[in-house]
Amino acid sequence: MDQIIENIFESILDGAQKVTEAKVKEALESGLSADKILNEGLVAAMAEVGRLFEEGEYFVPEMLIAARAMQSGLSILKPILVEEDFKPIGKVAAGTVKGDLHDIGKNLVCMMLEGASFEIVDLGTDVKPEQFVEAVRDHGCNVLAMSALLTTTMPNMKATIEALETAGVRGKVKVMVGGAPLTDQFAKEIGADGYAPDASQAVSLAKKLMAA
Ligand code: B1M
């Protein structure tokens, strides 16, 4: 691993937000690609945070400050990953489902979709089924993107699809789902139109769903 990527990785584990920001800038200046910094530095560090949490070495406060450091690094990469001045190819309503506050993966998916010229209506976290329905109805979204990181909140994806059906708007929107505990099988079971395991595959999926 490049020394500077290692520094970014360590700074996130330490929750050292300012160091993460400085090192991400330094890495870009040294010519490393935003993609490499993102995947080998930021995303890899969060996976390690998860492992340390599982082993009882990290607790919620450590996860939280690591997440803040990761988000600061991400905000520096955003202008590079997302092109300004684009003509939208579709509108996506995105959010983390009810009861779930994890937003790093969802933000990354939004950023990549924006970079691929989708307009994003970001509903944030803890989004109730009726809020998703409202967004589809009020903003005329073509795609609804739901994220869940907790096994306990995954059922709220099905509840959202049911709410779309009840409101009579299910046929107007393609539903895609993702998040670490999900599988393709789960997506099929709940009646989603597609599942993507990561942010870049979320872009291909959204394009495929738009074309269908
Ligand atoms: Co939480 N947490 N957390 N946490 N947290 C996990 C998810 C956990 C797996 C940790 C563990 O035990 N190893 C575990 C869940 C266990 C389970 O459900 N089986 C867990 C737990 C238990 C909890 C709490 C219950 C802890 C507690 O309070 N006792 C609590 C719940 C709070 C709540 O939501 N109601 C909690 C809280 C938190 C923090 C707030 C401290 C913080 C979140 C901060 C934030 O997001 N702003 C946090 C964090 C940081 C994590 C871990 C460590 C990292 C998550 C992350 O950001 N990963 C996580 C462990 C892990 O995932 N290994 C963990 C990086 C991110 C880039 O990846 O989100 O997977 P990810 O997104 C990927 C893909 O999944 C995919 O693309 C992304 C990029 O490639 N993707 C999509 C995601 N959404 C998509 C949507 C798509 C397509 C692809 O289409 C629509």
Side-chain angles (χ1 to χ4, degrees), residues 1 9 13 37-49 70:
M1 199 193 279
F9 184 94
L13 290 193
I37 300 169
L38 175 67
N39 291 314
E40 295 179 22
L42 307 185
V43 173
M46 290 315 293
E48 178 64 2
V49 170
M70 151 83 174

Side-chain angles (χ1 to χ4, degrees), residues 39 42-43 46-51 53-54 59-68 70-71 94-95 99-109 113 125 144-153 157 176-181 194-202 205:
N39 291 314
L42 307 185
V43 173
M46 290 315 293
E48 178 64 2
V49 170
R51 194 188 65 77
F53 179 74
E54 259 167 51
F59 298 94
V60 173
E62 283 89 355
M63 277 208 289
L64 202 51
I65 57 166
R68 277 193 202 139
M70 151 83 174
Q71 304 259 33
D100 201 325
L101 302 175
H102 296 85
D103 67 354
I104 296 178
K106 184 267 297 166
N107 292 346
L108 204 47
V109 169
L113 286 170
T125 59
L144 191 151
M146 284 186 277
S147 178
L149 262 286
L150 298 171
T151 46
T152 49
T153 58
M157 293 180 151
M176 57 188 269
V177 294
Y195 156 78
D198 59 41
S200 68
Q201 291 185 62
L205 175 62

